[in-house]
Amino acid sequence: MNKRFTKIICFLTAAVAAAGVTVSVGCGGSYSSKPLDGNIFTEGKAKSNGGFAVEKGDYIYFLNGVENNTAENTFNTPVKGAIYRIKKSDFSDNNYSDVDRVVPLVAYSGDYNSGLFIYGDRIYYSTPSTEKNSAGETLNTNLDMKSSKLDGTDTMKNAYVQFPSLTTEYRYVEGADGKVYLIYLATDEKLYEESTGVKNLHSLNTESGENTLLAYNVDTVMFDAEDKTNPRVYYTMNVKNYATDSNYSYNQVYSVTADATKATEYDFSGILGWDEETDRYINCGELVFDGIGKNNEKTPFNFAGDDINLSDYTYTLKKYQNGTLFYTRKTSVNDGQYLFSFSDGALKDTHNPVKDNAASEARILTDGSSAGDFKYFFKDGKLEKVIKVEGEGGITVNYVGDDEKLQKDISTVTGSKYFYIVKGTSATILFADENYLYYTANSVINRVSHNGAVDDYEGLPETDDTDDYNAVKIFDLAPASSWYTPEIFDGQLIFASETENMSSYKYVMACDLRKDGKPMNNAELAELNKKFTGIGEIISDFSDSDKYDADVYTNLGDALRYAYFTGESEYIKELAEKCNAEVKEGEKLVYSEETLAKYSEFLAPSATNDWKDYVATKEVNHEKLFANRRDYYYSVLGVMNETDAKNYADLVRNNYLKAEPVNEQTWWEGLDTASRVWFIIGMCAIGVLVIGGAVVLGVVLVRRKKNKMPEYSTRKIKVDTTDDKDIDVYGTDEE
């Protein structure tokens, strides 16, 4: 890296760096809880850091459903949205309810690119603040950045830092020094007690509490899209002409790591229009690209190298992953959005931010306007291909050619390196592993292999013969679209569910995509999907009056749907008895004997009843389930809180079962004659007892009062009647 500048320390205290962001590291103590069983002191790094689920040691730690920032967040109260864990062995055995609550707080963020992070024996997260303002209102639109010990024994009371916005972008990362840093963007904060209205990049050392302003007044910031633990970020900054109070016609690209502590020192005395009282420029980053053109005058912020012989450039950052920055650039006279790439490895002492800019012939794609939505795949450290959505047309894969460029346009010629792998559908890409691309179409999760050649995808979509190159729908899995991306752990897909009856609750569900302990291929998954779809078709048949007499099999279809979700047997018997008791003579029963018999058959499939194709079993949550139950295919991971569990049970009953009959009689009308007589006798006896007791009590109280009255003396006052002749009682004053 260029060493031409001296450095100055730019640690900033809370009062200086971010008056709109509160820092309280090391203050307030911790909540203590009984330690959870199990060994949390395991070597090795966590897997899938930054998502809603993270694997470390023997456990998977996850958010127990989607909760709002306005939910009750008093410590030890939350269940939904709290951080739970499950043993990997229990997860593998489909015992999804065998979980422990690790952090009894709502873990929440409006930035769904950042979730849970585990370093060492602590888990790092964000949670809505429980502080109150002067009016007594909870400040739950602020985010507290905290950590807890993995055994649940230690949870911070105060936060490392408090964000005034729920959507603040952040990452917990580990620096080269082994310390954990919180790197984040603070927007519209205050600096030096003055509102700035600009976006600043910060890094907070969670151990020491030192808050470093990495860059003041940044434009676009690019965190690593795949590795959420990467401490390096790229960002763009405008170059201001202080004399005219406007920006120049180009911008610059910088890179910085979270553990940076020193800002570049500039000579501000030579800047025309610079006001030391109001103007500021702080930047700890390394200059990557300087877009200054030959017609622009140099400033202290530009590269101090050779004369500039190029046009000025404006850079737009598209994505950063696998140590590679993807970006487009254009000149003031050319709006072409050519796509380029830049490797972290190129940031070395000899790097020239002007001359080392990618030449136009080195571009990898002519039009990179949508490159931010690409899924980039690398092989042996080099870009191999990108996957992109082509609007309503489907999804394409575009291989890098021998000239290290992506193809310009789609061709149907055999051997093309730019072709469709999904056709004729509007799709949203979720994620991809080394074998499959997962995406949603019509809100349901599908998957397809992205490793084939153009010939493998010819004639799609295929409906009869399914292989990995045919897209397969995964049951009816509908993930919450505005939450964290679904993830795969040990061959099982976990996601926040908006499937049937779950859209109001959005708990995490697990779908086992293994067969005999190994990941299913698409043909095996398609076969299982047919079985899953068949359940609904058979249940629908029972609602078809042409196949089953509705007067005989009363309300059978809905009852079976209820059994599909719950597997419950006792309540429907009680309900049938109550409902049928209200049926008048000549009317059909609400639940006939034939309906109840079919219901019982559903719960016990056999080779001799309608469910002969669903006799396969799986143990889920220590219960043997047949293949005609929903939980056989996917089930809730974790636990529902009491309110949601009750409401969910009521919802399913209301959706598929008749309501219990309401007794409209008054309580008196509901009594028989004997009961009425005994009620009258009883009330009379009670009345006599009450009246008698009142009289006795009155007498006792009077006597008691009399006995306690005070005694007074009866001695009379003596009056002196002796005539005093010396007193003129008539007032004549005569002698």
Side-chain angles (χ1 to χ4, degrees), residues 206-227:
T206 62
E207 183 178 312
S208 67
E210 294 168 335
N211 193 333
T212 303
L213 179 55
L214 296 177
Y216 171 81
N217 195 9
V218 297
D219 190 8
T220 300
V221 176
M222 200 62 58
F223 294 98
D224 194 311
E226 299 292 336
D227 181 7

Side-chain angles (χ1 to χ4, degrees), residues 67-73 128 140:
E67 186 57 285
N68 296 319
N69 63 294
T70 55
E72 173 62 41
N73 197 25
N140 49 31

Side-chain angles (χ1 to χ4, degrees), residues 213-289:
L213 179 55
L214 296 177
Y216 171 81
N217 195 9
V218 297
D219 190 8
T220 300
V221 176
M222 200 62 58
F223 294 98
D224 194 311
E226 299 292 336
D227 181 7
K228 308 294 179 64
T229 66
N230 188 347
R232 181 173 295 281
V233 297
Y234 285 85
Y235 54 98
T236 58
M237 294 185 69
N238 293 314
V239 181
K240 185 175 180 179
N241 184 336
Y242 291 90
T244 62
D245 195 27
S246 61
N247 293 326
Y248 286 103
S249 58
Y250 63 91
N251 64 359
Q252 296 174 317
V253 179
Y254 287 86
S255 181
V256 71
T257 55
D259 52 8
T261 58
K262 297 180 180 179
T264 302
E265 185 178 272
Y266 299 97
D267 181 8
F268 300 113
S269 62
I271 302 177
L272 185 64
W274 177 270
D275 187 337
E276 292 187 0
E277 295 296 325
T278 59
D279 293 324
R280 61 190 60 87
Y281 188 96
I282 301 172
N283 195 347
C284 294
E286 189 74 18
L287 183 60
V288 178
F289 294 134

